Amino acid sequence: MDIWTSKRRLVVGFLVLGGVGVGLAAAQVNASSHREAPFITTQPKLDGTDFYLFNSYETGRSGFVTLIANYLPLQDPYGGPNYFQLDPQATYSIHIDNNGDAKADISFNFKFTNTNQNLSLPIGRRTVAVPFINVGPITTADQSALNVVETYKLNVVRSGISQPVRNAADGSTTFTKPADYIGTKSFPDYPSYAANYIYNINIPGCGTAGRLFVGQRKDPFVVNLGEVFDLVNVSNPLGATNAEADDLADKNITSLILEVPTSCLASASSPIIGGWTTSSNARGQQSRLANPLVNELVVGLKDKDTFNSSQPVQDAQFLPYVTHPTLPAVLQLLFGSAGVQAPTLLPRTDLVQVFLTGVPGLNRPPRVAPAELMRLNTSIAAVPASQQNNLGVIGGDNAGYPNGRRPGDDVVDISLRVAMGKLLPADKAPSGQLPFTDGAFVDASFFDQSFPYLKTPIPGSPNNTP
């Protein structure tokens, strides 16, 4: 029997946890995905935008998992003169829970340092510092014209013990982030330049080398953003999946990308892992993200900041947003005259499984503390890019979302359809089988088929080098 049509059961333990008396355990200094919470608009460098977690589908890389955490949203490529450096006062983290208790068993912590090279020019009898990030072309062989060098360290934390990840080539613990793609004159061959900062790494406790890249990429998230938040102002929410524009088509992002041996992440008792990403500074946790669109389309406005400052193990406080979601009701308000109806089956145990526990037979751990995590069954083999279905599990591809998330999974369309009752019986979800879409199409062909998967960023200046 298909896992989606199996009997759905209410997660009683979670409903009990969701009762009266759950307090707010974190200060409200918070943020997340593509400006989705009010507070994060004041500190975009800490804004986590997307999280990807999937079995590596590059040829020859079975037995590895790729993790991608994206930060600093809506980067206009021409956004000079300072462009998009990350915050050296912050810690950017990717967390893995491998025993189902909604607590981090493994954390990968990134810390950045930005070094001003103080490039100067003789002006008359004075030597004067220049105001630019670069004063000439930059290549793999010659970077003397680069005025700011971004470096970072990566530590892996288990049981409170932090150990440095090392460059497999020389044993060093300091890595370099390539400068942002200022333009084609500054970077005559940016793809080659950036590829120089893909590292083979040794992760303590893993034995087998992984891979690492941190740098600017073309934003992989595809969404008809403006129209969606203008009361779903699309020409036809049941029309062609490629009828509308991708509002992020001209935006870049900053990506933290890791490839880690599966054996380093999954426990001996279960192949299922849960993951999420955070950013923190001296004021506490500022951003939190696992499944896409949860804080944007599920959590109520008054609790968006609270969600991003809290830990997954505290998620009982947000249970009503999942069991009684408002998005379907809003869509019925907007398109009810066209026959769109919200599901009538409440509480929404199907959404509890997708977002909070994992789906039985797919990615639910043997023991689980319900929490909003991205869950991946590492024993389900990766599907080559050419064979992936961009609707993931509801498209018959169990290697895709919500079993982890690959870059080519159309999570907007998937989320719209699941919210409207795709997984429910027809009599409880009259619109559940309708092909809801934001009209912005994406699939695996939009991305590279090898690490780091995400495309070269868009240059700030499109002019060719004279």
Side-chain angles (χ1 to χ4, degrees), residues 3-4 53 100 270-274 291 352-368 373-380 393 398-405:
I3 56 174
W4 293 108
L53 178 66
S270 173
I272 297 171
I273 60 176
N291 289 282
V352 169
Q353 292 179 359
V354 169
F355 293 126
L356 303 176
T357 66
V359 178
L362 179 72
N363 61 353
R364 178 171 175 164
R367 298 177 61 187
V368 61
L373 302 180
M374 176 81 69
R375 289 184 171 83
L376 173 68
N377 188 336
T378 62
S379 69
I380 295 177
V393 173
N398 285 353
Y401 186 74
N403 182 35
R405 179 189 179 188

Side-chain angles (χ1 to χ4, degrees), residues 446-465:
F446 284 44
F447 306 96
D448 292 336
Q449 297 186 25
S450 59
F451 188 90
Y453 295 99
L454 305 189
K455 287 286 191 180
T456 296
I458 300 166
S461 166
N463 298 328
N464 290 326
T465 303

Side-chain angles (χ1 to χ4, degrees), residues 317-378:
Q317 61 188 305
F318 307 112
L319 177 64
Y321 293 125
V322 179
T323 58
H324 294 73
T326 58
L327 175 61
V330 170
L331 292 175
Q332 179 174 313
L333 283 174
L334 296 174
F335 301 105
S337 61
V340 172
Q341 299 180 53
T344 59
L345 181 62
L346 296 171
R348 290 290 300 276
T349 58
D350 58 323
L351 299 186
V352 169
Q353 292 179 359
V354 169
F355 293 126
L356 303 176
T357 66
V359 178
L362 179 72
N363 61 353
R364 178 171 175 164
R367 298 177 61 187
V368 61
E372 200 278 297
L373 302 180
M374 176 81 69
R375 289 184 171 83
L376 173 68
N377 188 336
T378 62

Side-chain angles (χ1 to χ4, degrees), residues 43-341:
Q43 44 184 5
K45 288 179 182 288
L46 301 182
D47 188 357
T49 68
D50 280 290
F51 181 54
Y52 299 84
L53 178 66
F54 56 94
N55 287 324
S56 299
Y57 54 86
E58 176 183 346
T59 301
R61 300 302 287 185
S62 61
F64 288 84
V65 171
T66 297
L67 311 94
I68 302 175
N70 288 341
Y71 284 90
L72 218 171
L74 304 176
Q75 296 179 14
D76 291 316
Y78 50 80
N82 295 302
Y83 297 93
F84 303 100
Q85 300 164 17
L86 292 178
D87 186 351
Q89 303 303 314
T91 299
Y92 299 83
S93 301
I94 299 173
H95 308 282
I96 296 295
D97 164 30
N98 62 19
N99 62 9
D101 66 357
K103 300 177 183 179
D105 298 293
I106 306 167
S107 293
F108 297 94
N109 293 338
F110 297 77
K111 290 278 293 182
F112 290 84
T113 299
N114 303 330
T115 304
N116 190 338
Q117 303 295 96
N118 197 29
L119 296 183
S120 304
L121 294 174
I123 308 297
R125 295 182 178 181
R126 295 179 177 273
T127 300
V128 183
V130 302
F132 309 112
I133 284 183
N134 65 307
V135 293
I138 299 162
T139 66
T140 300
D142 183 5
Q143 297 170 38
S144 60
L146 185 61
N147 201 14
V148 178
V149 176
E150 291 185 79
T151 59
Y152 60 97
K153 292 181 179 292
L154 171 60
N155 279 21
V156 60
V157 181
R158 297 185 186 88
S159 302
I161 299 174
S162 179
Q163 296 177 284
V165 172
R166 296 184 180 275
N167 186 338
D170 59 15
S172 63
T173 60
T174 298
F175 304 92
T176 300
K177 172 184 173 291
D180 294 338
Y181 196 177
I182 296 168
T184 56
K185 187 175 182 179
S186 293
F187 292 95
D189 186 359
Y190 191 87
S192 295
Y193 160 75
N196 193 52
Y197 300 106
I198 297 175
Y199 296 97
N200 292 320
I201 55 174
N202 289 329
I203 304 172
C206 291
T208 304
R211 289 189 287 185
L212 169 66
F213 174 81
V214 172
Q216 192 180 52
R217 297 282 90 185
K218 164 69 183 69
D219 194 330
F221 190 47
V222 172
V223 62
N224 187 14
L225 190 64
E227 287 82 350
V228 165
F229 287 103
D230 182 24
L231 299 178
V232 195
N233 189 15
V234 299
S235 58
N236 184 359
L238 301 175
T241 58
N242 62 352
E244 304 285 346
D246 169 22
D247 288 345
L248 304 184
D250 60 349
K251 305 297 183 184
N252 292 328
I253 205 75
T254 300
S255 298
L256 285 56
I257 308 178
L258 270 169
E259 188 181 62
V260 181
T262 305
S263 59
C264 185
L265 299 177
S267 70
S269 60
S270 173
I272 297 171
I273 60 176
W276 72 102
T277 180
T278 63
S279 65
S280 305
N281 60 16
R283 299 177 63 189
Q285 183 175 294
Q286 303 298 302
S287 175
R288 169 188 162 195
L289 185 66
N291 289 282
L293 301 169
V294 167
N295 210 1
E296 288 175 317
L297 299 181
V298 178
V299 177
L301 183 62
K302 71 182 182 69
D303 284 328
K304 287 180 181 291
D305 287 339
T306 301
F307 176 86
N308 286 289
S309 66
S310 65
Q311 301 302 315
V313 74
Q314 300 167 325
D315 281 350
Q317 61 188 305
F318 307 112
L319 177 64
Y321 293 125
V322 179
T323 58
H324 294 73
T326 58
L327 175 61
V330 170
L331 292 175
Q332 179 174 313
L333 283 174
L334 296 174
F335 301 105
S337 61
V340 172
Q341 299 180 53

Side-chain angles (χ1 to χ4, degrees), residues 362-430:
L362 179 72
N363 61 353
R364 178 171 175 164
R367 298 177 61 187
V368 61
E372 200 278 297
L373 302 180
M374 176 81 69
R375 289 184 171 83
L376 173 68
N377 188 336
T378 62
S379 69
I380 295 177
V383 173
S386 62
Q387 300 174 32
Q388 292 178 15
N389 188 304
N390 72 335
L391 293 179
V393 173
I394 66 172
D397 181 356
N398 285 353
Y401 186 74
N403 182 35
R405 179 189 179 188
R406 304 166 300 197
D409 292 335
D410 192 341
V411 294
V412 177
D413 285 8
I414 296 170
S415 298
L416 285 173
R417 297 178 193 191
V418 171
M420 291 306 295
K422 175 71 175 179
L423 311 180
L424 296 176
D427 63 327
K428 302 297 184 182

